[in-house]
Amino acid sequence: MTQADLDTLKSNIDRRVKIETVDGEQLIAKVISVFAEESDADMFFELVSTSRPELYKTGEKIGGYSIPLKDIASVSTAE
């Protein structure tokens, strides 16, 4: 992830972004929060769609998901 990708995440709180992970997953997520200052930096998001639905629980209403920033390859705006 580049600094520009991080800036895109931070500037799109409560908006949708397209994310590609380092292992090739492509997802659209609504950014809830970004924690970039910690040693275990991550983002918390609401899942909109994914190329790998088997990775996410179904049938349960949960608050969202998190992903370590180191696992994100690229970010772009979705809207």
Side-chain angles (χ1 to χ4, degrees), residues 44-57:
F44 190 62
F45 65 96
E46 179 183 314
L47 182 66
V48 177
S49 67
T50 178
S51 62
R52 295 191 182 153
E54 67 276 6
L55 298 177
Y56 301 88
K57 294 180 182 181

Side-chain angles (χ1 to χ4, degrees), residues 2-18:
T2 66
Q3 183 61 46
D5 291 328
L6 182 58
D7 293 343
T8 298
L9 285 177
K10 288 180 175 181
S11 66
N12 281 284
I13 301 294
D14 292 328
R15 294 189 189 120
R16 294 178 179 187
V17 294
K18 295 178 187 177

Side-chain angles (χ1 to χ4, degrees), residues 12-31:
N12 281 284
I13 301 294
D14 292 328
R15 294 189 189 120
R16 294 178 179 187
V17 294
K18 295 178 187 177
I19 296 173
E20 183 167 346
T21 65
V22 294
D23 66 354
E25 178 186 5
Q26 296 180 13
L27 57 102
I28 296 179
K30 181 179 176 186
V31 181

